[in-house]
Amino acid sequence: MRSALHQRLSRALQRFDEMISHVATVAVVSVVLVTFIVSLAIAGFPMKWQTGFSTVSSAIVIVLLFAAKHTQDRQQTALQLKLDELIRSIPAADDHLVQIERADEKELVERKLDQIEVHESLRDAANDEDRSTDEST
């Protein structure tokens, strides 16, 4: 039951994220905000309205924060799975990089330094090759 509810909630948050990312949604929210501000000014800025608006806008921001975080985590997980599959499919790739995001900090730092060394050695080799080509011409 929990997983079915979790899936429905996840789908609802994805749809919500798609809905709020449209330009039409921004236009509608802008019109509503301008209308409210004008109404607030005409009514003399009553404190109850300001408090209500502040409470509702804070609640909306919190909901948007959680919806965006959920969608971002889901997209990052999907991207990570795709990258892991690419690593697995390339015979020369380092299989230790699959699921590297779960490694402890020390291993991440070591892998990063290893990658920097590889890139620097490749750059040095390319520079040496360029120099030897320039000297021969």
Side-chain angles (χ1 to χ4, degrees), residues 47-91:
M47 187 55 78
K48 286 183 180 180
W49 284 27
Q50 291 180 31
T51 304
F53 179 74
S54 176
T55 302
V56 169
S57 63
S58 295
I60 289 171
V61 166
I62 289 172
V63 168
L64 290 176
L65 176 72
F66 284 111
K69 177 71 172 131
H70 171 77
T71 304
Q72 183 182 22
D73 286 348
R74 184 170 161 67
Q75 290 172 344
Q76 183 176 357
T77 299
L79 181 61
Q80 190 62 48
L81 289 170
K82 292 174 185 178
L83 290 172
D84 289 347
E85 184 62 25
L86 287 173
I87 291 171
R88 280 190 209 98
S89 69
I90 299 172

Side-chain angles (χ1 to χ4, degrees), residues 20-38:
I20 63 174
S21 62
H22 287 287
V23 174
T25 305
V26 174
V28 168
V29 169
S30 298
V31 167
V32 168
L33 281 174
V34 168
T35 303
F36 181 78
I37 290 170
V38 168

Side-chain angles (χ1 to χ4, degrees), residues 98-133:
V98 174
Q99 296 291 321
I100 189 71
E101 66 276 4
R102 297 182 191 270
D104 61 4
E105 193 65 28
K106 182 180 176 186
E107 185 177 354
L108 285 174
V109 170
E110 288 171 3
R111 294 283 178 184
K112 183 179 178 181
L113 293 174
D114 289 346
Q115 290 295 319
I116 290 172
E117 287 177 20
V118 167
H119 290 294
E120 287 176 349
S121 67
L122 290 173
R123 187 179 314 124
D124 291 344
N127 287 340
D128 291 344
E129 186 177 308
D130 288 344
R131 276 189 235 124
S132 66
T133 332

